Amino acid sequence: IANLILFHRRALFRENFLKPQRPWSLSAGVPPTRYEIGNSLTETEAKSLQDSFFLLPCEEGSETEYAKNFPFLENLLEKPNPPEIMSVMTAKGLDLKKVVVFGFGKTLFPDGLPQVNEDDTPFTHNIGLAYAINKLYVAVTRSKDQLLIMDTNRGHKMLWDQLLNRTRINDILEGMGKDISKQWIEVLPDDDALPVWDNANFFAPLNVEELIDQAEVLKRSGMELRRSDFMEKAAAFYRKASKVEDENK
């Protein structure tokens, strides 16, 4: 998914220097999935989202206000052991195990992903679009293990379906040289990428070691950046690890 976003950025802004990125891990991992935002979640679905981070397309400090626009998210945050919410730029640089990229299509691309044409100009001529795509890239690259795309029906159509549109992708590839297009073809997702999130692929619960590992990541970043909010989240994950450990005894 990260390379898919880079691919479209390269075409939209004629950034021919961009090349496919190689994964930091060679393991297949858990494939990303998608979910259409509704009014409520089942208890099983909500439990699956515990210990996850919801990355929001809003600015830092406005996460709670943004959540109020989605009764679905407000209800989830009121449940026991709710997920964490964080603006995407706050999360920049963090390695997170369970990530939900929430509402990016609806919020950042309400009119859809622009078409690629010969008149497209460098990103300095369209800072807003460049910033939105940068946020999108940061969001999908925070996940270390599990990634879920949550958006409204229109958000999926305006962004995620456009990113995966095979006609659009093939049109872009045709404008590249043979060697360059081959590099991208090798890393672009298949047509069936982003299957629907359901009980066959719910997030797996984090075990004690994974909870401690997530806490350590947050602690290190909190100390390096002198962020008390990261330290508070680290403490919360340490407490979760202790609770799971006690339950397993």
Side-chain angles (χ1 to χ4, degrees):
I1 297 300
N3 274 319
L4 183 65
I5 295 168
L6 282 182
F7 174 78
H8 286 283
R9 174 171 180 141
R10 184 186 190 277
L12 284 168
F13 299 121
R14 295 186 291 178
E15 294 181 329
N16 295 336
F17 60 88
L18 286 179
K19 297 181 180 180
Q21 300 296 304
R22 299 300 172 184
W24 62 269
S25 173
L26 296 178
S27 63
V30 179
T33 53
R34 69 161 77 197
Y35 183 86
E36 185 175 314
I37 296 171
N39 293 322
S40 61
L41 289 167
T42 67
E43 289 302 317
T44 301
E45 291 169 337
K47 187 175 181 180
S48 171
L49 294 171
Q50 291 176 4
D51 311 324
S52 64
F53 287 81
F54 273 57
L55 301 188
L56 310 181
C58 59
E59 298 305 314
E60 183 174 359
S62 61
E63 293 90 343
T64 302
E65 285 301 312
Y66 180 83
K68 290 180 181 179
N69 296 314
F70 298 90
F72 169 92
L73 182 54
E74 275 198 305
N75 291 338
L76 181 61
L77 295 175
E78 291 173 356
K79 292 183 177 295
N81 301 315
E84 302 284 346
I85 58 172
M86 186 183 290
S87 76
V88 61
M89 300 314 287
T90 302
K92 188 174 183 179
L94 291 176
D95 289 330
L96 305 172
K97 291 187 176 296
K98 298 167 65 172
V99 170
V100 178
V101 174
F102 186 91
F104 276 65
K106 172 180 172 58
T107 304
L108 299 182
F109 299 88
D111 299 319
L113 193 66
Q115 292 298 314
V116 175
N117 58 67
E118 294 180 356
D119 297 325
D120 287 324
T121 54
F123 74 90
T124 51
H125 293 254
N126 196 336
I127 295 295
L129 177 60
Y131 186 47
I133 292 178
N134 183 49
K135 279 187 169 184
L136 189 63
Y137 182 79
V138 171
V140 301
T141 54
R142 292 311 90 217
S143 171
K144 189 175 180 181
D145 296 320
Q146 303 175 72
L147 174 65
L148 171 61
I149 307 297
M150 276 193 177
D151 223 314
T152 62
N153 178 272
R154 180 173 175 80
H156 280 296
K157 290 179 179 178
M158 292 295 98
L159 176 59
W160 304 103
D161 290 349
Q162 287 299 306
L163 288 172
L164 290 163
N165 184 277
R166 186 51 54 180
T167 299
R168 179 186 177 113
I169 289 173
N170 288 338
D171 286 345
I172 296 172
L173 289 170
E174 287 179 5
M176 297 178 174
K178 184 177 180 180
D179 291 340
I180 296 176
S181 63
K182 182 180 179 181
Q183 293 175 16
W184 286 99
I185 290 171
E186 290 175 351
V187 300
L188 292 175
D190 297 329
D191 292 345
D192 58 354
L194 288 183
V196 174
W197 184 69
D198 56 25
N199 58 7
N201 50 33
F202 283 159
F203 280 176
L206 299 183
N207 59 36
V208 173
E209 292 76 16
E210 290 170 330
L211 289 166
I212 291 175
D213 182 56
Q214 187 65 89
E216 291 290 329
V217 168
L218 292 164
K219 179 182 175 182
R220 284 195 300 271
S221 294
M223 294 177 67
E224 291 171 3
L225 302 174
R226 297 184 179 182
R227 293 198 58 131
S228 60
D229 55 335
F230 285 7
M231 299 300 287
E232 290 170 0
K233 293 182 188 300
F237 272 85
Y238 280 125
R239 288 194 295 270
K240 291 178 181 180
S242 295
K243 182 179 179 181
V244 172
E245 191 171 34
D246 290 341
E247 291 173 349
N248 291 339
K249 289 180 180 179

